[in-house]
Amino acid sequence: MRKEPEPGLETLLTHCSENRAANYGAAVAPIFQNSLFTFESWEAIDRAFDDRVSNCIYSRGRNPTVSSAEAKIARMASGEDAKLFGSGMAAISAALLHYLEYGDHVVTLKNIYGPTNTLLNQYLRRKMNIDVTFIDGVEMAEFEDAIRSNTRVIYLECPTSAIFTLQDIRAVTRLARARGIHTIIDNSWATPVFQKPLTMGADMEVHSCSKYLGGHSDLIAGVVIGNKQDITAISVNEYEILGGVMSPFEAWLIMRSLRTLPLRMLKHQENALQVAQFLQGHPKVRQVRYPGLEASPQYELGKKQMCGYSGLFSFELVTADLEAIKKFVNSLNLFQIGVSWGGHESLVYPPAISYSKELPVEQFKAMGISFSDIRLSVGLENSQDLIDDLQSAFEHIN
Ligand SMILES: Cc1ncc(COP(=O)(O)O)c(C=O)c1O
């Protein structure tokens, strides 16, 4: 039998799982904004309960709008299935709880997203006696040295969203599989448009959809993508029982966003590269941490596992004077001060604001972050306007 060619990503995100025939031909699918589904008989609901994962009974389990968005995301990431959650942290917790048992050991990175670090190192350590080893994750020997007999999960974030270092995904997943260890990777930064960890051996991919997948700074959501068996288990356990579910309206917004994801990612990349190149040559900048720059120490590795680069990166100002750093940030007009990233608008956030409140200075420095670091989420505005904004802020500091 002739195999149909897989459509291009842009085509897939426009047409896959839209189910127009069942929706009066509506060009944009309606929202199933309902909590429950009714059945015509005892027998019908009884049959539905026999396969509660595939049937719509109650929206804490399955909802058609949420399922359509999940199908699109799974296809895009080359996964068998996906489960959307009410936030990225709900998705990350579900993925970890799915694999971990009491007393297991996890290997992860010093620079993972702060609340993921807290979940592992404080919450799960306290509640489930989970032990965690934190490494830089740049050299393979670090992974080999960190693995123990009870290591169950290697948790990656590639690149890390604090200092943008990469891990060699293929090498790590090869090592993990050989030792019977599961790999979970936070792929929020690159998105499946630029990086597909499931095709490189990862068991599970997680995202904060509040970033590029949502892309418009108007929703909070998360997703877990993996094989059918794992996602089915997560659906009936962590999803239904812990209940951090996805709302139909947010799922509908994500479908809206996915239709333009490839276009947006290309523009984020183009803008970020131009801004990073401008910063790289600036006398008031010590270093730029953007994996898309040829001068980046891991540029060759990046090219092997990513086909593009998103819009989030940081740079370090030469000055260490806190007043000058504050003046620089306060002088920006287009880059608005705010947490999070991945939306249409450009943002600035100096990690020192939160880390210096939450962490002891030694830990902050051990993570490789400097007090002079400035994180930018480069949005979809005109790139020259963004560069002019930065240039004028530089003129305010010595
Ligand atoms: C890399 C990364 N992963 C996960 C999350 C958590 O996602 P959410 O805020 O949607 O729970 C964030 C949020 O900033 C993040 O930056």
Side-chain angles (χ1 to χ4, degrees), residues 159 166 189-191 193-195 212 264-273 290-294 296 298-313 378:
L166 311 180
W189 189 92
T191 83
V193 174
F194 289 151
Q195 178 168 270
Y212 292 113
R264 285 187 286 110
M265 292 314 289
L266 288 177
K267 180 66 176 163
H268 282 296
Q269 168 174 246
E270 185 188 310
N271 279 1
L273 196 57
Y290 185 54
L293 284 175
E294 276 183 44
S296 151
Q298 292 179 296
Y299 183 69
E300 288 307 319
L301 173 61
K303 271 206 317 194
K304 278 204 286 180
Q305 56 193 28
M306 286 191 273
C307 60
Y309 309 90
S310 73
L312 182 78
F313 66 92
V378 179

Side-chain angles (χ1 to χ4, degrees), residues 85-92 111-116 155 157 159-162 186-189 206-211 219-223 312 339-341 375:
F85 284 81
S87 72
M89 282 313 298
I92 290 166
N111 292 298
I112 47 167
Y113 177 57
T116 310
Y155 185 93
E157 198 179 285
T160 55
S161 58
D186 184 332
N187 196 29
S188 308
W189 189 92
V206 289
H207 286 263
S208 166
C209 305
S210 325
K211 314 298 185 254
L219 63 90
I220 298 285
V223 71
L312 182 78
V339 296
S340 197
W341 45 275
R375 192 181 80 176

Side-chain angles (χ1 to χ4, degrees), residues 237-283:
N237 293 307
E238 288 76 20
Y239 193 76
E240 268 207 68
I241 308 295
L242 299 184
V245 304
M246 182 67 183
S247 90
F249 180 57
E250 257 74 8
W252 183 87
L253 282 176
I254 288 179
M255 287 221 278
R256 174 262 343 236
S257 299
L258 291 175
R259 295 179 188 114
T260 59
L261 182 67
L263 271 178
R264 285 187 286 110
M265 292 314 289
L266 288 177
K267 180 66 176 163
H268 282 296
Q269 168 174 246
E270 185 188 310
N271 279 1
L273 196 57
Q274 286 176 23
V275 170
Q277 278 162 348
F278 160 75
L279 290 168
Q280 195 180 23
H282 202 283

Side-chain angles (χ1 to χ4, degrees), residues 31 44 62 67 71 99 110 245 251 270 314 345-346 359 369:
I31 309 174
R62 187 181 178 88
S67 299
Y99 286 131
K110 287 181 193 158
V245 304
E270 185 188 310
S314 70
E345 78 288 22
S346 288
L359 296 175
I369 308 171

Side-chain angles (χ1 to χ4, degrees), residues 1-160:
M1 206 169 69
R2 198 169 70 92
K3 200 168 171 246
E4 289 296 325
E6 178 74 355
L9 190 60
E10 301 85 344
T11 312
L12 199 82
L13 290 173
T14 304
H15 296 294
C16 136
S17 86
E18 292 282 335
N19 207 4
R20 294 192 185 104
N23 293 323
Y24 301 94
V28 175
I31 309 174
F32 284 88
Q33 188 64 43
N34 49 297
S35 62
L36 67 101
F37 301 82
T38 59
F39 294 83
E40 60 197 12
S41 64
W42 171 299
E43 290 77 15
I45 193 166
D46 193 36
R47 269 197 306 279
F49 273 125
D50 287 341
D51 182 4
R52 51 189 304 143
V53 173
S54 315
N55 287 304
C56 294
I57 302 169
Y58 185 51
S59 285
R60 202 183 73 241
R62 187 181 178 88
N63 171 282
T65 310
V66 178
S67 299
S68 297
E70 288 166 349
K72 247 190 220 297
I73 293 173
R75 252 331 255 283
M76 159 171 78
S78 303
E80 286 176 9
D81 208 351
K83 199 74 205 147
L84 276 163
F85 284 81
S87 72
M89 282 313 298
I92 290 166
S93 315
L96 285 166
L97 287 171
H98 169 66
Y99 286 131
L100 292 177
E101 299 290 342
Y102 187 88
D104 280 343
H105 173 244
V106 176
V107 176
T108 191
L109 314 162
K110 287 181 193 158
N111 292 298
I112 47 167
Y113 177 57
T116 310
N117 183 317
T118 308
L119 170 70
L120 281 165
N121 204 27
Q122 294 181 31
Y123 190 85
L124 293 177
R125 195 185 276 278
R126 199 171 64 238
K127 298 271 185 190
M128 285 174 59
N129 194 26
I130 298 298
D131 205 358
V132 192
T133 301
F134 291 96
I135 58 174
D136 288 324
V138 172
E139 303 294 337
M140 278 312 293
E142 296 175 82
F143 287 95
E144 282 167 25
D145 291 347
I147 288 173
R148 302 185 197 154
S149 57
N150 63 337
T151 305
R152 180 75 66 121
V153 166
I154 297 181
Y155 185 93
L156 306 177
E157 198 179 285
C158 188
T160 55

